[in-house]
């Protein structure tokens, strides 16, 4: 399963989260009744959460864990109050009676929550970030980019590395969980209270408030909103979206695709994902790379997508292009981007040793997006396939 590392500012905040089995990110108030990119990105991260994903907390260089997202009322993430995803700056008095969890006067800015349980427990022994990184250097990729973020998502392999070091350092407390070694949690009572409130209102996440306020007809003005919509629709198994992009077990956005260097200068894939071999989880079958453009896509954008695909081939798929699917998504495409598609994406390569296997790969599609005001979702249309 995937993992999430949540940043907190104090041990008291950690104890509250564990006691309740709830985490919420504070989101700054919207301006001009329009969400900004960092707020759209936070929604995208919540949209991709799935029951079974692991939960960790980061406070002053130390990492605490382990928890697991769980479903209540058929999901593990919710709006903290109805219409919390609308870019409106409401007053506490307006929402107090409908809050899933009341954070006091600041509740209006705690718009999304996720729910979790200890798995197997949260240990009081926090582990220094340097010790975590040193425990398995080759498996930690995304953790090294945890900078200026409230939380971050990472893959199965990295999640397992987190669990390994935390469990190894605390294994003696699993069979003998003394109060001084593990945190107590009253999550069952809290989740029961949430269940009662969830039955009384609509607390489901929606993508429409992030699209309809920034749409000009079928065009969307923010690329991050398009990222959020794609992640939301793929994660919700929206039939028309899955028909274009396929089903993916892990999906994330803004994933590093360059050697380690100062975070602000790193290249990042707009959307990255993977799927498992059926009934053989966690063995990965194939990888997804999507590059997004809110307006027209040019030939240079196709080359940028291929740079990321080359990175995934080296870092993830053991030199095998055939395990990668690439998509360039845009509102429209310049002629040279379409005309030179096959020439720019084709890769002749050899994988394996005995025998060495030559192969040719060009598994890239060009996809137009458009906003559908009736469904309040994005529609997608394949307009060119390099395999054809």
């Amino acid at each position: 399963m995937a993992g999430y590392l949540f940043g907190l500012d104090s041990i008291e905040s950690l104890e509250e989260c564990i006691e309740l089995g709830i985490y919420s990110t504070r989101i700054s108030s919207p301006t001009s009744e329009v969400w900004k990119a960092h707020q759209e990105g936070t929604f995208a991260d919540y949209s991709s959460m799935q029951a079974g994903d692991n939960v960790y907390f980061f406070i002053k260089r130390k990492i605490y864990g382990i928890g697991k997202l769980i479903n209540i009322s058929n999901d593990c993430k919710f709006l903290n109050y109805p219409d919390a995803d609308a870019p409106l700056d409401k007053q506490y008095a307006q929402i107090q009676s409908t809050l899933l969890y009341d954070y006091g006067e600041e509740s209006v800015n705690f718009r999304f929550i996720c729910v979790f349980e200890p798995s197997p427990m949260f240990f009081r022994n926090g582990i220094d970030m340097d010790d975590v990184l040193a425990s398995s250097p080759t498996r930690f990729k995304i953790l090294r980019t945890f900078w200026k973020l409230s939380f971050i998502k990472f893959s199965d392999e990295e999640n397992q590395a987190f669990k390994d070091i935390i469990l190894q350092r605390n294994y003696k407390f699993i069979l003998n969980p003394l109060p001084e070694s593990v945190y107590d949690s009253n999550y069952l009572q809290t989740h029961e209270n949430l269940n009662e409130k969830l039955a009384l209102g609509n607390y489901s996440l929606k993508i429409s408030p992030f699209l309809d306020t920034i749409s000009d007809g079928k065009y969307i003005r923010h690329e991050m909103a398009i990222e959020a919509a794609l992640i939301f629709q793929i994660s919700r198994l929206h039939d028309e979206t899955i028909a274009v992009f396929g089903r993916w077990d892990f999906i994330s956005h803004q994933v590093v695709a360059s050697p380690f260097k100062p975070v602000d200068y790193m290249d990042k894939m707009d959307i990255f994902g993977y799927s498992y071999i059926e009934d053989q989880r966690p063995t990965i079958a194939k990888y997804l790379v999507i590059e997004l453009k809110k307006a027209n896509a040019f030939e240079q954008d196709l080359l940028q997508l291929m740079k990321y695909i080359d990175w995934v081939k080296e870092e993830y798929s053991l030199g095998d292009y055939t395990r990668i699917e690439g998509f360039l998504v845009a509102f429209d495409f310049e002629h040279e981007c379409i005309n030179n598609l096959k020439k720019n994406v084709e890769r002749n390569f050899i994988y394996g040793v005995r025998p060495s296997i030559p192969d040719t790969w060009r598994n890239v599609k060009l996809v137009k997006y458009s906003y559908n005001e009736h469904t309040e979702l994005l529609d997608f249309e394949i307009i060119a396939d390099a395999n054809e």
Side-chain angles (χ1 to χ4, degrees):
M1 303 302 294
Y4 289 87
L5 181 63
F6 300 124
L8 298 176
D9 57 8
S10 67
I11 292 296
E12 290 75 22
S13 297
L14 172 67
E15 292 173 343
E16 180 182 34
C17 285
I18 294 172
E19 168 70 13
L20 299 171
I22 297 174
Y23 171 79
S24 182
T25 301
R26 188 186 187 283
I27 299 175
S28 56
S29 298
T31 57
S32 304
E33 298 187 355
V34 172
W35 291 118
K36 293 185 177 180
H38 68 279
Q39 297 156 332
E40 295 162 347
T42 298
F43 176 83
D45 291 326
Y46 271 94
S47 293
S48 68
M49 291 179 177
Q50 302 289 336
D53 292 344
N54 286 117
V55 169
Y56 310 87
F57 293 99
F58 179 75
I59 307 169
K60 296 179 180 178
R61 290 184 56 90
K62 291 191 174 182
I63 295 173
Y64 298 82
I66 307 164
K68 180 176 67 177
L69 294 175
I70 59 172
N71 283 345
I72 61 173
S73 295
N74 300 317
D75 209 345
C76 62
K77 70 274 186 185
F78 305 94
L79 303 177
N80 194 26
Y81 52 91
D83 296 324
D85 45 6
L88 302 173
D89 191 10
K90 296 187 177 182
Q91 301 300 310
Y92 175 60
Q94 295 175 280
I95 64 170
Q96 184 178 11
S97 63
T98 61
L99 287 165
L100 288 182
Y101 185 74
D102 192 339
Y103 290 92
E105 293 287 341
E106 285 287 300
S107 293
V108 67
N109 291 323
F110 288 95
R111 294 174 179 260
F112 313 120
I113 69 169
C114 59
V115 293
F116 62 89
E117 65 181 7
S119 180
M121 56 196 68
F122 283 95
F123 303 99
R124 292 182 180 272
N125 175 32
I127 303 177
D128 189 273
M129 174 74 87
D130 286 351
D131 287 340
V132 173
L133 290 170
S135 69
S136 189
T138 61
R139 292 198 288 175
F140 287 110
K141 297 181 176 71
I142 298 173
L143 177 60
R144 297 177 183 273
T145 68
F146 188 52
W147 174 251
K148 298 179 182 178
L149 297 170
S150 56
F151 66 95
I152 195 168
K153 180 178 183 178
F154 39 83
S155 68
D156 293 58
E157 182 181 21
E158 198 160 343
N159 180 47
Q160 187 60 51
F162 266 95
K163 288 198 286 189
D164 287 347
I165 181 63
I166 292 173
L167 291 173
Q168 287 162 2
R169 288 288 183 90
N170 293 280
Y171 74 93
K172 61 185 177 181
F173 302 130
I174 296 176
L175 296 178
N176 187 25
L178 300 173
E180 61 267 25
S181 61
V182 300
Y183 286 104
D184 288 331
S185 177
N186 191 34
Y187 74 93
L188 288 173
Q189 182 60 57
T190 305
H191 293 177
E192 184 177 333
N193 295 339
L194 293 185
N195 253 324
E196 294 175 1
K197 294 181 179 180
L198 288 167
L200 301 176
N202 185 1
Y203 294 88
S204 297
L205 273 62
K206 307 180 296 296
I207 190 59
S208 54
F210 292 86
L211 298 177
D212 57 17
T213 56
I214 56 168
S215 63
D216 291 332
K218 297 180 180 297
Y219 171 73
I220 299 296
R221 298 196 299 272
H222 296 179
E223 280 183 13
M224 187 64 77
I226 302 170
E227 282 184 27
L230 246 179
I231 289 174
F232 178 84
Q233 292 176 212
I234 290 175
S235 298
R236 292 297 176 101
L237 300 180
H238 180 248
D239 288 342
E240 287 79 5
T241 306
I242 297 300
V244 172
F245 297 100
R247 298 171 67 106
W248 300 93
D249 296 301
F250 173 95
I251 189 164
S252 190
H253 71 124
Q254 295 301 305
V255 175
V256 168
S258 64
F260 187 72
K261 53 188 173 182
V263 175
D264 289 343
Y265 299 99
M266 284 186 170
D267 293 325
K268 295 181 179 179
M269 294 177 276
D270 287 337
I271 293 180
F272 170 74
Y274 54 76
S275 61
Y276 306 113
I277 296 176
E278 188 173 359
D279 297 326
Q280 299 298 324
R281 189 176 188 141
T283 304
I284 294 173
K286 56 184 181 177
Y287 296 90
L288 168 73
V289 182
I290 301 178
E291 175 73 2
L292 295 168
K293 295 298 168 185
K294 64 181 180 181
N296 284 16
F298 294 82
E299 187 172 16
Q300 183 59 41
D301 301 316
L302 185 59
L303 296 176
Q304 184 68 30
L305 169 65
M306 294 312 303
K307 177 181 176 181
Y308 296 148
I309 287 174
D310 290 341
W311 169 264
V312 170
K313 185 264 296 186
E314 292 295 332
E315 291 292 313
Y316 293 94
S317 70
L318 303 177
D320 184 359
Y321 279 105
T322 65
R323 297 172 59 202
I324 305 172
E325 294 185 21
F327 296 86
L328 179 58
V329 177
F331 186 68
D332 207 347
F333 292 84
E334 296 296 322
H335 291 302
E336 78 277 4
C337 185
I338 300 173
N339 294 340
N340 296 330
L341 173 61
K342 289 187 179 181
K343 179 189 75 173
N344 283 322
V345 307
E346 185 172 282
R347 295 292 188 267
N348 296 303
F349 67 105
I350 297 173
Y351 66 96
V353 179
R354 297 181 183 89
S356 296
I357 303 171
D359 207 339
T360 299
W361 175 93
R362 58 174 82 90
N363 195 0
V364 172
K365 298 179 179 66
L366 305 184
V367 178
K368 282 187 179 182
Y369 83 83
S370 61
Y371 179 57
N372 187 326
E373 62 181 8
H374 301 293
T375 64
E376 297 183 313
L377 298 169
L378 293 185
D379 291 336
F380 298 99
E381 178 190 3
I382 298 172
I383 59 105
D385 185 340
N387 275 326
E388 295 178 351

